[in-house]
Amino acid sequence: MISIAMKISPLALLAAFTFSALASAADLTVEKIDDRRPKNVIFVLSDDHRFDAMGFLGKYPWLKTPNMDRLASEGVHFPNAFVTTSLCSPSRASILTGQYMHKHGIVDNNVNIRSGTRLFPEYLQEAGYQTAFVGKWHMGGHGDDPQPGFDHWVSFRGQGHYNPGRGIMLNIDGKRTPQKGYITDELTDHAINWLDETKRDQPFFLYLSHKAVHADFSPAERHKTLYEDVEVETPVTQADTEENYHLKPRWVRDQRNSWHGVDFPYHSTLDVKEYFKNYCRALKGVDESLGRVLQWLDDEGVADDTLVLYMGDNGFLFGEHGLIDKRNAYEESMRVPLLGRCSSLWSPGQTVESVVANIDIGPTVLAAAGVKTPQQMDGASFLDLQSIQAEDSDWRDFLLYEYYWEFNFPQTPTTYALRGEQYKFIQYHGIWDCDELYDLKADPNERDNLIFEPEHKQLVDRLRKRLYKELSSRGAARVPFSEKENHGRGLRIDNGKGGGDFPKPFIRDEPVNRNAS
């Protein structure tokens, strides 16, 4: 069985949080996989698309995503797909480097990528691929300059804008050009135009990276009245009740009254249910974009030899546990959609239950190109998982999750987690609070924290030791320190929820240390 510590170099301990060149500036030697004919690859990334917001899953019966549904029916659905850090820049860096956040060093949305960091498209170029990046980069810092690994480049600064306006520009191969239309449509236009120009005697790789569905959600004009009459159900874990917060960490209830909570969302009077409708309306544009890409493959007759992957870069909460947005290790935050199709590799209509992640995208794309996974990558290819039973394979049994506290969003503590197919263990750092353990098969909504249950003590002890072993073996058992510029978004609303209570197992009726003097 592959440990989540696989592929760790002996230098990892020395490289911890110094972010030395040894961790990233690997050479570009391409090792070929025998008897693997390179496939064309299209990787479509959406922003903040949560795992259950696809029509074919039935969670929201009114949600229509026909092209995602088609991709699932013609290919493979990975229902246990995750990001290793639920935050834009770190997650996108993990996709492009195949590395955990503690290794690639982009620990928040402001840190710039280190010079010499190897991105998996660079290996594709070395293997003879035509490559293009179209869309949101936002991988540390806010620039939009062309990056290594791509022959063609279309991007924008920071989060970009849904709609055009004065001074809103795209960077096309280093030249500033005004944005002309709704961003999801315009990015798709650029992607299709580049595909039209590719040479048929040379494999291609397209990375189409959407701004949508990042907040604030702004749908295309044609979608603004979608779902007007539907009723959005309140998540079962949203209510501020003792049942929902029984044995929950104190910080979770505290966060209700914050920038990332339902009582004071984004420090506003935002209607979270209507917000979710706008999210789904913006998602409709992404689904249509995917349909245009699939149609191009059909029209050009190259669908059978093209691997198409669709993924979200993070999840998003809409009231679960009284929270909104992401960062934490709950399912709605760290779990993402992942669909794949290539008829010459995968049979249609399959579901692969194994735990896969953003760090596996690079190795998987390289495998489809006939290239072995570079040694510095933490992820592994899931290209052959369809034919493997997870319980009989050497695939990972737990995935490491990590998030470092940010001063500008102080509501969420530094978080580490191990996520397996049945259990999730969450441990917090630098905060006076309890940890969490969930049996996801019995409790998919993560309501029943088992961390204090005597029958789970051995499991907790084992996972706690394993977490520390994984972090320490990687040189990652440290937390980076960055400059705190201000108090951050730490406001609370006066008529909102007060401070949360400590979990009852922490409370005693009388002193327990009778030897103090």
Side-chain angles (χ1 to χ4, degrees), residues 174-230:
K175 181 180 179 181
R176 305 282 177 197
T177 304
Q179 180 178 326
K180 299 175 182 178
Y182 183 67
I183 192 62
T184 305
D185 298 339
E186 188 163 352
L187 294 177
T188 309
D189 290 342
H190 282 288
I192 297 295
N193 290 341
W194 180 79
L195 288 171
D196 283 337
E197 296 173 358
T198 55
K199 302 171 184 176
R200 291 296 176 268
D201 61 349
Q202 186 180 358
F204 63 77
F205 170 68
L206 168 65
Y207 192 132
L208 175 54
S209 179
H210 286 295
K211 169 182 171 56
V213 282
H214 194 279
D216 291 328
F217 316 121
S218 181
E221 191 66 35
R222 64 187 180 276
H223 298 145
K224 286 187 174 180
T225 59
L226 276 177
Y227 312 129
E228 267 191 329
D229 299 325
V230 304

Side-chain angles (χ1 to χ4, degrees), residues 449-512:
N449 184 8
L450 305 173
I451 199 76
F452 298 109
E453 297 298 324
E455 61 265 37
H456 289 94
K457 184 179 185 304
Q458 288 186 343
L459 176 61
V460 171
D461 290 345
R462 187 166 68 249
L463 291 177
R464 203 181 291 283
K465 289 177 181 178
R466 179 167 178 174
L467 176 63
Y468 181 74
K469 182 179 179 180
E470 296 296 344
L471 292 171
S472 60
S473 68
R474 296 172 177 278
R478 308 181 188 184
V479 178
F481 185 85
S482 58
E483 181 181 2
K484 184 175 180 179
E485 299 174 2
N486 51 54
H487 290 296
R489 294 175 174 88
L491 303 180
R492 295 170 72 83
I493 192 74
D494 188 53
N495 61 357
K497 173 69 183 177
D501 297 325
F502 276 101
K504 288 185 178 179
F506 281 19
I507 307 301
R508 296 292 182 271
D509 294 330
E510 57 184 35
V512 296

Side-chain angles (χ1 to χ4, degrees), residues 76-150:
V76 181
H77 175 220
F78 297 86
N80 289 311
F82 297 88
V83 294
T84 50
T85 303
S86 186
L87 186 60
C88 287
S89 294
S91 179
R92 288 164 181 266
S94 290
I95 290 170
L96 280 156
T97 63
Q99 297 175 340
Y100 282 105
M101 173 177 67
H102 64 257
K103 183 183 285 189
H104 62 58
I106 298 179
V107 298
D108 57 30
N109 286 338
N110 302 306
V111 176
N112 286 306
I113 187 170
R114 297 194 305 275
S115 176
T117 298
R118 292 301 184 200
L119 313 179
F120 78 81
E122 295 182 83
Y123 294 94
L124 294 176
Q125 283 183 320
E126 288 294 309
Y129 272 69
Q130 308 163 84
T131 62
F133 181 88
V134 178
K136 179 179 175 180
W137 183 249
H138 197 230
M139 193 173 70
H142 300 283
D144 60 2
D145 294 331
Q147 298 293 322
F150 299 103

Side-chain angles (χ1 to χ4, degrees), residues 64 66 223 226-227 279-289:
K64 306 301 179 187
H223 298 145
L226 276 177
Y227 312 129
Y279 175 89
C280 293
R281 291 164 182 146
L283 184 63
K284 181 67 173 175
V286 175
D287 186 76
E288 290 178 353
S289 169

